[in-house]
Amino acid sequence: DLFSNLEFDLNVNNTVGIRNTFLLRGYANADHRIKPMILVVKKWARHNQINDASKGTLSSYTLVLMVLHYLQSQLMCVLSPCLDVQECFDPFTDIDLVPEGPKRVPPYVSRNQSSLGELLLGFLEYYATHFRWDKYIISVREAKALPKTYTQHWKNKYICVEEPFERNNVARAVHERAKFEAIRAQFAESFHLLKRRRDLNSILPVRDIINKESSLR
């Protein structure tokens, strides 16, 4: 919006967009660290120019699913392995009842005491050094990485992230090797910087970003 400088997504006749919005709300409410972690990851990706699907990089939705996958598969005690998508977020539930989904998610108490900094460092390390982009599909629905198949959605794709309801690839915008390599390189560079300096400002100029955003309000 040019008057307020507020960025937003406008949903027109896209029921899946409503379903996955409330799915993410359910996950975000599972642990107090999830919301700030997702916010920092999105700011980091935007700052490093890898958060723009229109330019062949990662959409914000893709980044959120990547964060949730990391917390599910690597640190299950941070985030419940999976919300019951079939019961709480049934893709055939009447769309007017979808907002009730998060209210039916059973409570989850994490035993993990990692700080946000430790989780962020682990997130960067996971995608920089451990995750096999050429072999696996990120699936929040299954709470694990699935072996890549050679169907239309996944064949010859550099990054594969499953949409929990439609089961297609939300990272399909990354269709150039150069963009994929730039994304992977940014994960690696940021991981090594953060590991060495232990300072968020080494990978994300927090104060500058806050001042810039405040000046636009």
Side-chain angles (χ1 to χ4, degrees):
D1 177 63
L2 296 179
F3 180 75
S4 65
N5 287 305
L6 179 67
E7 294 185 8
F8 61 91
D9 293 326
L10 182 64
N11 186 329
V12 180
N13 294 332
N14 177 11
T15 58
V16 172
I18 297 173
R19 295 182 192 281
N20 59 43
T21 293
F22 283 96
L23 175 72
L24 297 185
R25 175 180 289 185
Y27 277 113
N29 291 337
D31 187 283
H32 69 279
R33 293 165 292 183
I34 295 173
K35 288 181 182 179
M37 175 146 177
I38 288 173
L39 178 61
V40 168
V41 167
K42 289 170 66 175
K43 294 290 186 184
W44 163 80
R46 178 64 62 91
H47 174 70
N48 290 288
Q49 300 181 332
I50 60 170
N51 177 207
D52 190 341
S54 69
K55 296 181 180 178
T57 57
L58 302 168
S59 69
S60 292
Y61 184 38
T62 299
L63 285 164
V64 173
L65 293 178
M66 289 172 67
V67 171
L68 295 178
H69 164 71
Y70 163 69
L71 295 176
Q72 287 176 325
S73 64
Q74 297 299 299
L75 296 165
M76 287 186 180
C77 50
V78 172
L79 180 61
S80 177
C82 62
L83 298 179
D84 195 331
V85 176
Q86 293 303 315
E87 292 186 11
C88 298
F89 300 96
D90 189 327
F92 301 105
T93 299
D94 186 284
I95 197 66
D96 293 328
L97 301 178
V98 168
E100 299 299 313
K103 299 177 184 178
R104 299 198 301 273
V105 176
Y108 178 76
V109 179
S110 173
R111 299 187 303 276
N112 181 280
Q113 299 299 312
S114 296
S115 67
L116 277 168
E118 291 168 335
L119 292 178
L120 178 60
L121 184 63
F123 168 79
L124 294 172
E125 180 181 18
Y126 176 63
Y127 289 109
T129 64
H130 300 308
F131 186 75
R132 292 292 304 275
W133 303 93
D134 59 331
K135 298 291 186 181
Y136 292 104
I137 300 166
I138 291 169
S139 176
V140 170
R141 177 180 59 86
E142 293 283 348
K144 62 183 178 181
L146 304 175
K148 185 183 289 188
T149 62
Y150 291 92
T151 57
Q152 181 180 357
H153 291 317
W154 315 115
K155 184 179 180 181
N156 299 324
K157 301 298 190 295
Y158 294 110
I159 298 178
C160 296
V161 181
E162 181 193 60
E163 206 291 318
F165 295 99
E166 293 187 319
R167 313 279 181 91
N168 56 16
N169 184 14
V170 298
R172 57 188 176 275
V174 186
H175 57 81
E176 298 178 10
R177 173 168 287 278
K179 294 294 179 67
F180 167 64
E181 294 296 347
I183 292 169
R184 191 165 62 170
Q186 191 57 63
F187 271 96
E189 179 182 350
S190 293
F191 164 61
H192 291 298
L193 272 174
L194 189 59
K195 182 180 180 181
R196 184 169 68 250
R197 298 185 184 179
R198 301 284 170 165
D199 181 3
L200 179 59
N201 285 281
S202 65
I203 64 170
L204 183 67
V206 179
R207 180 54 56 188
D208 290 345
I209 290 175
I210 291 174
N211 290 338
K212 181 179 178 181
E213 292 181 350
S214 296
S215 67
L216 295 174
R217 292 174 182 163

